[in-house]
């Protein structure tokens, strides 16, 4: 194996990159965002009392390992402009946008504090994204818009702000390509009857993960108070013909059960109702969560799907659902409602994917194939089908192993 290109710096791309480096390959990892970690950057570790095997730390650990690897070139804020078949693999043109902050940044955040722009023009990396180097959004920055401001450069203790940074075009010749462009969470507000976007205290699981990751606790967005009655609603935007997401997203039962447990760990007094169709905790024994719920006096599992959420009396959220026997319509009041969203594949049908010969399934995923791998293109991670971080990692290692075997034959 010579050089391998990895497209996507999420759990799949990172695991493949690490596994390839361990097998003696040189890796060029191209990530379009400012930091590594993919969707896991905004997810919270769910193990407050004990590890709950959510897998989130795994992704961030891999990011740090890859960043330390001398045989891995990591190109952030970068995209592949073209990949042309050559005699021994692919000739790849990569375009990197400027970050305007050098590797000397120590993440102190002094620049953000002084930036006068409403909503800021200089940012830390998203969530737990790695490396912890800040970046400037040129479209918002007054230095570029008006040629005036240099406040961030003036306070920076390491002289890391570099307004002269420019876009770079590089070409790499690689023997194979790992395609790991991942997923986009479904927008919970597409299901307006559940109150997303209109009722402040109805939040998506993406919001819940992000808030918990940033603050360690989940407070009501409307008034900052600790919620005492919480509903968790499963299958929002998954298994829905209307939204074109007809499949089970497979990981939302896993993370939602763990978030529920985490919330009870932080406050054992919370009343939590868990609404679901099927409890598809595929990655671990289903009974584990059911037994846990049974052991908690304040937790109820309700096998029914809510029909609507409205604003009830006293500003509480009123959730209407058929009873479990379908005989009555019930209305329950909550302080906070979490909508557990599923996912759609990302990057499966782009021009780049097409140019590499990647084909999509009826559901829009890019499953990859033996034929594609024989041409040096390995599709890995959740862009192939819904999967959690652990499964993503296992499959990425398997793909790296196939690539290594193929190269040594
Ligand atoms: C709300 C929520 C909670 C979750 N909680 C858990 C959990 O607790 N445990 C768990 O195991 N799983 C959880 N998951 C699932 C987990 O996020 C996925 O399994 C995992 O992120 C899949 O990894 P991936 O690398 O395939 O994709 P992604 O994480 O999506 O990474 C893909 C990367 O590729 C980059 N990219 C895309 N296109 C390009 C391009 N053209 N060029 C360069 N880069 C590109 C993206 O910017 C991204 O960094 C959760 C998902 C959601 C939505
Ligand atoms: S002030 Fe400088 S070192 Fe501190 S976060 Fe900003 S750019 Fe980085
Ligand atoms: S130059 Fe000024 S506007 Fe631009 S990021 Fe720095 S502080 Fe913000
Ligand atoms: S994993 Fe659970 S919540 Fe997600 S789509 Fe499947 S059944 Fe619904």
């Amino acid at each position: 194996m010579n050089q391998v290109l990895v497209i996507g710096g999420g759990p799949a791309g990172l695991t493949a990159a690490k596994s390839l480096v361990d097998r003696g390959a040189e890796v060029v990892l191209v990530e379009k965002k400012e930091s590594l970690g993919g969707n896991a950057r905004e997810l919270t570790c769910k193990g407050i009392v004990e590890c709950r095997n959510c897998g989130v730390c795994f992704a961030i650990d891999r990011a740090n390992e890859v960043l330390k690897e001398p045989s891995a070139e990591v190109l952030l804020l970068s995209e592949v402009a073209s990949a042309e078949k050559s005699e021994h693999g692919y000739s790849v043109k990569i375009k990197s946008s400027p970050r305007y902050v050098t590797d000397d940044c120590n993440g102190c955040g002094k620049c953000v504090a002084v930036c006068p722009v409403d909503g800021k023009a200089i940012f830390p990396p998203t969530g737990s994204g790695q490396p912890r180097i800040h970046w400037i959004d040129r479209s918002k920055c007054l230095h570029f818009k008006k040629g005036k401001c240099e406040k961030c450069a003036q306070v920076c203790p390491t002289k890391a702000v570099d307004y002269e940074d420019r876009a770079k075009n590089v070409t790499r010749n690689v023997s194979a390509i790992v395609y790991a462009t991942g997923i986009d969470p479904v927008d919970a507000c597409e299901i307006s009857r559940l109150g997303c976007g209109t009722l402040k205290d109805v939040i998506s699981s993406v919001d819940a993960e992000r808030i918990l990751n940033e603050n360690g606790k989940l407070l009501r967005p409307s008034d900052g108070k600790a919620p005492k009655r919480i509903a968790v609603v499963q299958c929002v935007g998954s298994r829905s013909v209307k939204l074109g997401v007809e499949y089970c997203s497979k990981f939302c039962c896993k993370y939602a059960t763990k978030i529920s447990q985490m919330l009870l760990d932080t406050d054992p007094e919370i009343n939590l109702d868990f609404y679901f169709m099927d409890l598809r905790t595929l990655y671990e024994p289903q009974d584990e969560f059911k037994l846990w719920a049974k052991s908690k006096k304040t937790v109820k599992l309700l096998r029914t799907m809510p029909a609507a959420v409205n604003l009830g009396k006293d500003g509480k959220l009123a959730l209407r659902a058929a009873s479990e026997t379908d005989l009555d319509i019930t209305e329950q009041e909550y302080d906070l409602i979490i909508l557990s969203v599923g996912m759609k594949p990302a990057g499966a049908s782009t021009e780049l994917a097409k140019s590499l010969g990647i084909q999509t399934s009826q559901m829009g995923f890019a499953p990859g194939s033996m034929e594609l791998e024989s041409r040096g293109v390995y599709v890995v991670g959740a862009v192939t089908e819904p999967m959690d971080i652990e499964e993503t990692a296992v499959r990425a290692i398997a793909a790296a192993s196939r690539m290594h075997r193929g190269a040594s034959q």
Side-chain angles (χ1 to χ4, degrees), residues 181-241:
T181 51
I183 59 166
D184 287 325
V186 171
D187 180 1
C189 296
E190 287 183 36
I191 304 102
S192 54
R193 65 188 164 80
L194 295 177
C196 171
T198 49
L199 303 171
K200 274 191 180 164
D201 296 326
V202 176
I203 61 171
S204 77
S205 49
V206 178
D207 297 328
E209 290 266 6
R210 196 184 52 245
I211 298 168
L212 283 163
N213 191 32
E214 279 169 12
N215 308 323
K217 56 186 172 191
L218 195 54
L219 303 175
R220 273 165 59 103
S222 63
D223 56 11
K225 287 192 181 145
K228 287 291 172 197
R229 279 190 58 75
I230 299 178
V232 176
V233 180
Q234 295 306 101
C235 293
V236 176
S238 294
R239 305 172 73 184
S240 155
V241 178

Side-chain angles (χ1 to χ4, degrees), residues 7-14 30-33 35-41 43-44 46 53-56 78-80 179-186 205-206 209 251 254-255 258-259 341-343 346-347 350 352 380-383 387-390 392:
I7 305 175
L14 289 167
V30 176
E31 166 55 53
K32 68 177 177 182
K33 303 270 174 62
S35 60
L36 298 176
N39 272 284
R41 297 177 311 162
L43 304 181
T44 181
K46 286 131 192 125
N53 288 322
C54 72
V56 172
S78 299
E79 290 201 56
V80 172
Y179 197 81
T181 51
I183 59 166
D184 287 325
V186 171
S205 49
V206 178
E209 290 266 6
F251 52 64
K254 170 173 171 166
Y255 73 65
K258 290 177 194 300
I259 288 179
V341 294
M343 49 81 63
T350 55
L352 174 64
V380 300
V383 69
M387 61 181 79
D388 76 340
I389 293 169
E390 190 178 342
T392 294

Side-chain angles (χ1 to χ4, degrees), residues 7-16 37-40 43 178-185 245 247-252 283 342-349 358 360-361 363-368 378-397 399:
I7 305 175
L14 289 167
T15 311
N39 272 284
L43 304 181
V178 173
Y179 197 81
T181 51
I183 59 166
D184 287 325
V245 186
Y247 44 85
C248 164
S249 293
K250 235 169 95 181
F251 52 64
C252 8
Y283 301 99
M343 49 81 63
K344 293 180 185 174
S349 53
I358 293 171
T360 50
S361 66
M363 298 291 175
F365 290 91
Y378 293 72
V379 190
V380 300
V383 69
T384 63
E385 63 175 72
M387 61 181 79
D388 76 340
I389 293 169
E390 190 178 342
E391 190 177 351
T392 294
V394 170
R395 298 227 197 167
I397 292 168

Side-chain angles (χ1 to χ4, degrees), residues 103-115:
D103 289 352
D104 290 334
C105 169
N106 65 15
C108 69
K110 288 183 177 159
C111 50
V112 182
V114 297
C115 179

Side-chain angles (χ1 to χ4, degrees), residues 52-65:
R52 293 202 186 275
N53 288 322
C54 72
V56 172
C57 59
F58 173 90
I60 303 307
D61 289 350
R62 279 307 79 72
N64 283 318
E65 283 169 11

